[in-house]
Amino acid sequence: MNRDYTLDKVRNFGIIAHIDAGKTTTSERVLFYTGMTHKIGEVHTGETVTDWMEQERERGITITAAAITCFWHPTYLPKLNGTTIKPEYRFNIIDTPGHIDFTAEVKRSLRVLDGAVVVFDGVAGVEPQSETNWRYADDGNVPRICFINKLDRTGASFERSFASILDRLNKNAVRIQIPMGSEENFAGVIDLMRMKAYYFEGNMGMTIREEEIPAEYMEEAKKYRAELVEKIVEHDEAQMAAYFEGTEPSLEELKKTLRKATLEVKLIPVMTGSALKNKGVQLVLDAVVDYLPSPLDLKPVHGIDPRTGEEIYRTASDTEPFAALAFKLQNDPFVGQLTFFRVYSGTIEAGSYIYNATTGDKERLGRIVRLQADKREEVKKVFAGEIAAAVGLKTAKTSHTFCDEANPIILDPIKFVAPVVSLRVEPKTKADQEKMGMALKKLSDEDPTFIVSSNAETNETIISGMGELHLEIMVDRMKREFSVDANVGKPQVAYRETIMGTAEADHKYVKQTGGKGQYGHVRLTIKPMEPLVEGEKLKKNVKRYDDFEFIDSIKGGVIPQEFIPAVEKGVHEAMGRGIVAGYPMVNVSCELTFGSYHDVDSSEIAYKIAASMAFQDAAKRARSVILEPIMKVEVIMPEQFMGDITGSLSSKRGLIEGMEDRGMNKVVRAMVPLSEMFGYTTDVRSMTQGRGSMMMEFDHYDVVPPQVEKTIVESRK
């Protein structure tokens, strides 16, 4: 089986945005214009292709990332006498959620995508989740195109939205389009590259009419065209020299230079339109072809050889050894577990065996499917640069690497944010008990930010997630998909503990029984963990994790090398149950400085117990404190309610960081402890007569005030 589309004709991109900016509406137009659907589904009627879950259609929001494959022939390329021809390009698109509670979907999608179309609401401009998603794209150095949507809405302003992108996201954004009119007078767009006006007519805007720019927009178009050309030629010395001598580059030269700058994330093209009114979406697809990367434009993917630990790379080619990354699991009621994966190099066929380099397991790859949201199309073979899903893999998890067994590689894993909100759940009946365990396991396999744990003291099952809505959806899915009824406790905050000072402790664990005894002796020094300086390399005796550092400073073999891992394990387990209120400890550096051993009685368990007790002793004297999650909160409301909102945020231990105008509304930004924010969305609505809205995302952990710590400790007794 040969590949349908060469690698240079493939585009893998995501559609990302703040909630309600129009991502799913844009995705539906993409499916319609590329011929994948014959009817446009709307979010407000619950008929969209990409929002296929019942919970998504009921709430009108995207919860899970949906993958779709479609094909496109750019509008500017000639068509053969109006006859149907094979599309030139293949698009693999992921429509992602915009709500902060489902941010893991955006993070993992951007990890495997080559580019992104970032959608903005033309009224609101840059919103909180726009900034978070932008940060994720920056982390992955993902090239972007911006689409300022909803220009037909009352209060919409292309220039204000564009200014917010420059101010809050990136100074290198450039207009490649400007609108003709706005609000109810929005008529079409002007392409500054071609200096033409485009109107969208006929059935669902399918007919694109190219005209000369109307006289009333000509001065504005010339002004912004000159700005655009200057920005582009800055990235090519020859073009810049010719431009200053009075020779403007040709359209093809400008496109080539803009493409290069976009791929290097040095320029970000900005477009505009209204997806709901069917204006401008086709030109965005043209821009995806012109400016977003194919797999060939990317640097070779980085990985580690599991046999040697050396860095290795794979280039996007069908002839390279097979390497793919599993980025998402999904339970399908008809075929079982689907494992989404992105192929970076090589090819794989259905029916062959797939090697999981992360676990060392080998499984038969029975079926491969290509996804159209919740529908499946079976394929026999997938090639480099493609996104597909494997059916029925038993051991695969998110971030696992599939590869050629003879040429193993482990690709860089996807890093997720730790959950901040917890709930207690218990099955309603004995019949639900067994089903609940299975349901929670499947859901936590699907979503790495959904953590299931049990409280050893109370024997309760605790579920943790990114927010109240996240956990509400998970409990709802348990009921609908797995027929499990559960009682749910009140939301709980995921507190942490840490130390503020330095302390040393020496502990000797000696236990003599009838036969062989137990002997372990360690001396530990603990202190707050310092952040790594950029470029700094760890010493050989240092092991560093996200929230813990272990330093082995044993000299002269006073503790045999085989017992050192047991000491580290003992410390790590002790950190799991903090000193102040039993919450997990973070950001601790622990140094093993001295100890002793017994030729006969020393054992791993003895050193583990000794280390655990020494750590607890030291932590008591190192000024242990409780940390609480602090949330970045943004409240949008009409001006007359601003006093009530700022007052309520201050009463919740909130720190007001700033206020600004956004259209006809006011925006208040604040940092507020999560423990004070449960149910605040309802409070905002009641304080603003239903006209206000709130967005909240985790920002950092901070030390709780003494009076609050006292309350927390009392509640844990």
Side-chain angles (χ1 to χ4, degrees):
M1 179 183 168
N2 295 321
R3 140 192 308 282
D4 293 336
Y5 287 80
T6 56
L7 271 172
D8 62 315
K9 303 292 187 188
V10 173
R11 299 287 185 273
N12 297 310
F13 66 96
I15 299 178
I16 62 175
H18 183 91
I19 190 169
D20 205 29
K23 295 176 308 304
T24 301
T25 304
T26 304
S27 299
E28 290 297 315
R29 268 65 187 170
V30 170
L31 286 172
F32 181 73
Y33 296 135
T34 55
M36 301 310 291
T37 57
H38 302 292
K39 175 177 176 286
I40 292 179
E42 301 294 6
V43 173
H44 56 267
T45 60
E47 295 173 343
T48 56
V49 173
T50 54
D51 283 358
W52 54 271
M53 290 172 65
E54 286 179 47
Q55 292 91 340
E56 292 176 315
R57 292 183 169 180
E58 285 172 1
R59 289 171 169 81
I61 61 169
T62 304
I63 291 168
T64 185
I68 48 181
T69 299
C70 52
F71 306 91
W72 181 244
H73 189 90
T75 56
Y76 57 80
L77 289 180
K79 293 186 170 61
L80 303 177
N81 303 321
T83 58
T84 303
I85 57 172
K86 181 186 172 184
E88 284 243 337
Y89 290 85
R90 173 190 180 139
F91 292 164
N92 297 313
I93 308 172
I94 296 183
D95 174 35
T96 63
H99 196 288
I100 185 63
D101 283 14
F102 309 104
T103 191
E105 294 286 333
V106 183
K107 200 166 176 59
R108 61 172 155 201
S109 298
L110 284 173
R111 170 66 175 79
V112 297
L113 293 169
D114 306 335
V117 174
V118 191
V119 182
F120 298 92
D121 184 326
V123 177
V126 174
E127 298 176 89
Q129 188 63 11
S130 315
E131 294 184 78
T132 304
N133 292 342
W134 196 273
R135 195 166 65 245
Y136 291 157
D138 278 343
D139 292 344
N141 209 34
V142 176
R144 274 146 274 176
I145 290 171
C146 295
F147 177 56
I148 296 176
N149 187 28
K150 299 193 176 185
L151 273 208
D152 59 299
R153 277 186 65 196
T154 303
S157 166
F158 174 79
E159 285 305 317
R160 190 176 64 240
S161 299
F162 180 72
S164 71
I165 293 172
L166 293 177
D167 181 46
R168 297 172 66 177
L169 299 181
N170 196 303
K171 298 287 183 197
N172 296 321
V174 289
R175 305 172 188 82
I176 62 170
Q177 290 179 349
I178 56 172
M180 290 184 284
S182 63
E183 300 182 352
E184 71 270 16
N185 299 318
F186 177 54
V189 300
I190 293 168
D191 186 321
L192 298 175
M193 296 288 279
R194 292 183 177 80
M195 285 301 277
K196 296 286 183 184
Y198 290 90
Y199 301 87
F200 303 85
E201 300 168 343
N203 178 33
M204 297 296 182
M206 284 280 281
T207 306
I208 302 173
R209 180 163 56 88
E210 181 183 284
E211 299 284 348
E212 294 304 316
I213 297 171
E216 66 264 34
Y217 297 111
M218 185 55 83
E219 281 305 308
E220 186 184 13
K222 283 180 177 176
K223 172 189 163 188
Y224 290 132
R225 157 82 178 185
E227 274 184 25
L228 172 63
V229 174
E230 278 183 28
K231 285 265 193 182
I232 293 173
V233 298
E234 282 175 10
H235 297 274
D236 186 292
E237 287 184 16
Q239 285 182 17
M240 187 161 63
Y243 182 70
F244 285 129
E245 287 172 10
T247 306
E248 189 175 285
S250 68
L251 174 62
E252 287 311 310
E253 288 172 329
L254 284 173
K255 279 174 66 174
K256 187 177 177 183
T257 305
L258 179 54
R259 176 179 177 78
K260 183 173 180 291
T262 304
L263 297 186
E264 293 170 354
V265 201
K266 290 178 179 174
L267 286 178
I268 293 157
V270 179
M271 310 179 75
T272 189
S274 167
L276 187 65
K277 299 295 183 185
N278 310 304
K279 290 180 170 69
V281 175
Q282 297 99 314
L283 300 188
V284 173
L285 297 182
D286 288 351
V288 166
V289 167
D290 290 338
Y291 307 120
L292 290 187
S294 75
L296 292 176
D297 295 311
L298 302 176
K299 292 177 182 174
V301 66
H302 171 268
I304 300 292
D305 187 328
R307 299 168 299 189
T308 63
E310 291 178 10
E311 290 188 350
I312 48 177
Y313 295 87
R314 292 275 192 273
T315 53
S317 167
D318 294 342
T319 57
E320 284 262 315
F322 173 66
L325 184 73
F327 67 94
K328 176 180 167 67
L329 302 187
Q330 181 178 309
N331 285 302
D332 188 291
F334 303 105
V335 297
Q337 182 171 287
L338 292 170
T339 306
F340 289 70
F341 61 94
R342 158 73 191 265
V343 183
Y344 285 97
S345 63
T347 63
I348 189 83
E349 289 189 49
S352 60
Y353 279 85
I354 198 165
Y355 177 66
N356 186 331
T358 310
T359 63
D361 294 324
K362 201 172 174 183
E363 288 191 72
R364 187 171 179 276
L365 183 59
R367 293 169 60 199
I368 306 173
V369 292
R370 192 174 287 147
L371 277 297
Q372 296 294 350
D374 62 333
K375 296 184 173 58
R376 297 157 299 280
E377 172 202 345
E378 196 142 342
V379 292
K380 297 295 180 192
K381 188 175 184 179
V382 285
F383 300 86
E386 294 189 358
I387 293 171
V391 177
L393 295 182
K394 292 181 175 62
T395 59
K397 298 282 185 289
T398 301
S399 281
H400 283 187
T401 301
F402 304 140
C403 64
D404 176 10
E405 191 174 4
N407 298 278
I409 183 173
I410 295 180
L411 301 174
D412 294 339
I414 308 166
K415 292 182 179 174
F416 294 100
V417 183
V420 291
V421 181
S422 301
L423 283 179
R424 173 178 48 79
V425 291
E426 58 183 31
K428 279 191 175 176
T429 67
K430 200 168 177 83
D432 288 322
Q433 191 157 3
E434 195 174 313
K435 287 193 292 183
M436 188 177 88
M438 185 183 72
L440 289 175
K441 183 184 183 307
K442 287 189 174 180
L443 291 171
S444 63
D445 283 347
E446 269 191 35
D447 186 346
T449 59
F450 178 65
I451 307 294
V452 181
S453 59
S454 59
N455 186 320
E457 294 172 13
T458 61
N459 215 20
E460 293 173 329
T461 300
I462 307 294
I463 57 173
S464 305
M466 299 305 296
E468 289 178 86
L469 179 62
H470 187 196
L471 295 178
E472 182 189 322
I473 294 289
M474 287 303 191
V475 172
D476 191 38
R477 287 187 63 192
M478 252 197 332
K479 185 173 182 178
R480 295 193 193 196
E481 294 174 31
F482 301 96
S483 304
V484 176
D485 276 327
N487 294 318
V488 180
K490 288 182 179 178
Q492 301 169 336
V493 180
Y495 292 107
R496 297 284 183 267
E497 294 183 22
T498 193
I499 54 172
M500 304 297 285
T502 302
E504 185 180 75
D506 187 296
H507 193 88
K508 193 178 284 186
Y509 178 73
V510 182
K511 191 172 184 183
Q512 201 61 49
T513 54
K516 183 176 179 291
Q518 298 285 357
Y519 183 94
H521 172 214
V522 299
R523 184 180 299 158
L524 304 175
T525 301
I526 64 170
K527 62 181 181 180
M529 189 166 84
E530 298 287 336
L532 265 183
V533 179
E534 193 173 338
E536 181 186 352
K537 290 195 173 179
L538 291 175
K539 294 176 183 175
K540 282 187 177 179
N541 66 327
V542 178
K543 282 187 181 177
R544 195 177 182 98
Y545 309 94
D546 287 342
D547 56 4
F548 173 52
E549 180 181 70
F550 184 75
I551 306 167
D552 173 12
S553 296
I554 290 297
K555 300 281 191 297
V558 292
I559 297 177
Q561 197 61 39
E562 64 263 29
F563 295 130
I564 304 295
V567 175
E568 182 187 336
K569 195 172 181 183
V571 170
H572 206 265
E573 286 186 6
M575 283 178 63
R577 46 185 190 279
I579 302 304
V580 185
Y583 292 106
M585 298 191 79
V586 295
N587 297 334
V588 176
S589 175
C590 177
E591 184 176 8
L592 174 60
T593 56
F594 188 67
S596 62
Y597 77 102
H598 189 281
D599 288 337
V600 177
D601 291 350
S602 284
S603 66
E604 284 190 10
I605 189 71
Y607 279 103
K608 188 172 152 187
I609 294 169
S612 178
M613 297 176 91
F615 179 85
Q616 289 178 51
D617 189 20
K620 285 172 186 171
R621 290 184 279 111
R623 285 194 297 133
S624 291
V625 293
I626 297 176
L627 301 173
E628 63 181 343
I630 305 296
M631 311 303 282
K632 184 161 68 174
V633 177
E634 189 168 294
V635 185
I636 305 163
M637 72 269 139
E639 186 173 3
Q640 69 258 40
F641 303 111
M642 205 160 103
D644 293 339
I645 294 295
T646 52
S648 74
L649 288 172
S650 298
S651 72
K652 292 179 176 295
R653 297 192 283 130
L655 177 66
I656 307 292
E657 292 208 310
M659 302 175 195
E660 64 184 54
D661 295 324
R662 187 175 293 168
M664 307 293 288
N665 291 322
K666 291 284 185 183
V667 177
V668 176
R669 293 198 309 277
M671 291 289 182
V672 193
L674 174 62
S675 58
E676 305 281 351
M677 293 304 290
F678 292 122
Y680 192 61
T681 305
T682 309
D683 295 347
V684 167
R685 285 177 188 150
S686 62
M687 278 188 282
T688 61
Q689 299 170 8
R691 295 164 66 191
S693 63
M694 184 200 82
M695 187 69 195
M696 177 173 78
E697 68 172 307
F698 170 73
D699 191 79
H700 66 282
Y701 272 94
D702 206 352
V703 179
V704 302
Q707 68 274 20
V708 178
E709 181 178 293
K710 189 177 176 184
T711 307
I712 294 168
V713 173
E714 286 296 320
S715 71
R716 295 282 283 180
K717 283 182 179 175

